[in-house]
Amino acid sequence: MKLSTRSLYGMRALVELALLSGRGPASASHIATRQCLSIAYLEQLLHRLRKAGLLTSVRGPRGGYSLARLPHQITMAEVVRILDGEQGPWETIQPRLRKSGSGSLTSGRHAQQISVAVGRCVHARLAESLGGVTLEDLCQEVKSLDGEPLDHRYVFHI
Amino acid sequence: MKLSTRSLYGMRALVELALLSGRGPASASHIATRQCLSIAYLEQLLHRLRKAGLLTSVRGPRGGYSLARLPHQITMAEVVRILDGEQGPWETIQPRLRKSGSGSLTSGRHAQQISVAVGRCVHARLAESLGGVTLEDLCQEVKSLDGEPLDHRYVFHI
DNA sequence: AAGATACCCTACCAATTCTGTCAAGATATC
DNA sequence: GATATCTTGACAGAATTGGTAGGGTATCTT
C-alpha cells in the first residue's frame, strides 16, 4: 500500500505552489523545473487538480496556476482522491479471472461480510489520516528539514 | 491509494482463521471455499504469511493453518507490509523513464526536501492508522454487520 | 495585427506490476 | 502405501501506470 508517484508529484507541485503563494500564478514549466518533473506529465496532473477545484488558472503570458484555497484548507486525502481516481468501490476490487472458475466473486454472504468489514476499516482510517494532513503542515515539515542532510531513507509505503 | 486485492484476500483469510480459532488448523482449501477465493492463489498468500511468522502450519491429512498469535496481536499494517512487499523505499518511487530526459529524478535539493516531507507524513500516518487495526477489531466489525443488508457500497481506497 | 507564451485537451504507447494458474515435489497422517 | 495437505517456482494474461506527442485556444506584449 503505497502512494503512487502520480499523487506524490501532485503533492510536490501543490507544496511548491503553497510556498510560492502571494506572488501571482506560477506556470507549469516553472513548477516542473523547480521540482524536476516532466512538463507534459505535470500539466495533466495540474489540469485534473484544476477541474477538481483545487487550482485556478490564468491563460496567456504571465499566466499559470494558483491555489484556489488557503494551504490549510487543502488536505492530502483530497489530492490523492483526485489524482488516483475515484473508481467504483466494488468494480475495482473485482478480480480479473482468466477462466470461468468460481473465482473470488464474493458470492457468499459470509465472505462478503468480511470484505465489507475490512473495506470499511481501511477507508475510514485512510480518510482520517490523510484528511488530517494539509498543505500547510507539509510546508512546515519542509521548513523543518532545512538544515538536515537528506539521506534518501524516506518511505512512501507502509 | 487503495488496498490491493492481495492484501484484502490475506486479511479475509486471517479474519476467517480468527473466527475459526480454537478448532485446530484450517486447510487452505477450506478457507478458499468459505471465502470464495482461488485455492492456488490463496496458498501463496498463506505461505508468505507463514514465513513471516503470522501463521503456523501442519502438513498431512487434517493439517492446515492456524494463527501464530492471538487476534488482537496481529495488525493490519503488518499484513499489508508482508503481502504488498517491503520494496526499497526509494527505488519503488523512482519513475520509469522511457528516454533519457531529466525526468523526475529529484536532483535538486529543494525538490528532494519536499519529497522527503511528503514521504515522512504518509509513512507515519499510514503506519499509525493501519497499525491500530487488529484482527480482533475486524472480527468485531464483522459481527456488527450480522443483521445489516450488505449493499456493496463499501470502499477500499481513499 | 502578429507572435509569443502559456494553458487546454485527447490520444496513444510501453514497461511494470498484479492477479491468478499450473505443475511437480515434499511430508505427515490414516 | 494412499491420501491429504503444504511447498516452491515458473509462467501468462490483463490492468495500471508513468510518460510522450501533438494540436488547439486564450491572452498578453509589442
Side-chain angles (χ1 to χ4, degrees), chain A residues 15-148:
Chain A
V15 172
E16 186 71 49
L17 279 168
L19 293 171
L20 255 48
S21 68
R23 271 179 262 183
S27 73
S29 65
H30 182 224
I31 300 173
T33 306
R34 283 184 59 88
Q35 283 297 319
C36 313
L37 299 173
S38 137
I39 297 169
Y41 191 40
L42 180 62
E43 272 188 340
Q44 282 181 30
L45 307 184
L46 293 174
H47 183 227
R48 282 161 80 164
L49 292 171
R50 187 192 65 83
K51 272 199 301 188
L54 254 60
L55 297 178
T56 56
S57 60
V58 178
R59 295 175 122 178
R62 313 195 55 80
Y65 295 91
S66 329
L67 296 181
R69 300 184 226 152
L70 295 175
H72 78 270
Q73 294 171 322
I74 297 180
T75 73
M76 198 156 162
E78 209 171 348
V79 177
V80 170
R81 208 175 294 126
I82 292 166
L83 293 180
D84 275 358
E86 185 86 70
Q87 314 102 319
W90 170 252
E91 302 76 43
T92 313
I93 289 303
Q94 215 42 258
R96 46 222 185 192
L97 292 172
R98 221 167 336 164
K99 285 168 191 169
S100 63
S102 72
S104 54
L105 283 157
T106 310
S107 43
R109 158 91 192 182
H110 174 66
Q112 214 171 95
Q113 209 164 328
I114 295 185
S115 293
V116 172
V118 176
R120 279 195 187 172
C121 260
V122 171
H123 183 58
R125 300 290 179 136
L126 283 187
E128 187 187 349
S129 319
L130 265 49
V133 184
T134 70
L135 278 191
E136 195 167 298
D137 298 333
L138 289 171
C139 288
Q140 286 294 329
E141 178 82 20
V142 170
K143 278 173 197 157
S144 81
L145 253 53
D146 257 345
E148 258 180 81

